[in-house]
Amino acid sequence: QVQLVESGGRLVQAGGSLRLSCAGSGRAFRTYAMAWFRQAPGKEREFVAAISWDSTHSYYTDAVKGRFTISRDNAQSTVFLQMSSLKPEDTAVYYCNAGFFTSRTSYTSEDYWGPGTQVTVSS
């Protein structure tokens, strides 16, 4: 069992930066790969980035490569998403998730989700 709670979302201007945090609980946290997803109004939830349990591997969707960085601190059971050069199209509710990699470019989510945090990027 893993419980997850996101924080850090807010209103930010285009071009700005923001860091999201996801606090996890449960002994299993450090055994899972972790990921961020997002869901914009009227759209399906989409994958953003994932990181392996030991931080040796990370993977990003093309839309955020070079702008977002995922990291984790297993001692604190926390995963982060550093976002820079934000665009209005990054506006969404951001969710963290626990899962695993099936290959270097394929992440599968388990049914562990946080409630989400709203990121709004104004133009």
Side-chain angles (χ1 to χ4, degrees), residues 51-92:
I51 187 168
S52 60
W53 69 273
D54 59 357
S55 301
T56 58
H57 176 60
S58 58
Y59 179 66
Y60 300 86
T61 190
D62 286 347
V64 307
K65 282 181 181 177
R67 300 189 299 122
F68 291 10
T69 302
I70 189 171
S71 62
R72 67 189 295 167
D73 181 346
N74 283 342
Q76 299 297 321
S77 297
T78 304
V79 62
F80 305 97
L81 186 67
Q82 178 67 47
M83 306 185 292
S84 60
S85 301
L86 282 162
K87 305 175 181 180
E89 51 263 44
D90 294 318
T91 295

Side-chain angles (χ1 to χ4, degrees), residues 11 16 18 23 29 34 58 68 79 86 93 103 114-115:
L11 174 65
L18 201 59
F29 176 90
M34 296 296 298
S58 58
F68 291 10
V79 62
L86 282 162
V93 178
S103 72

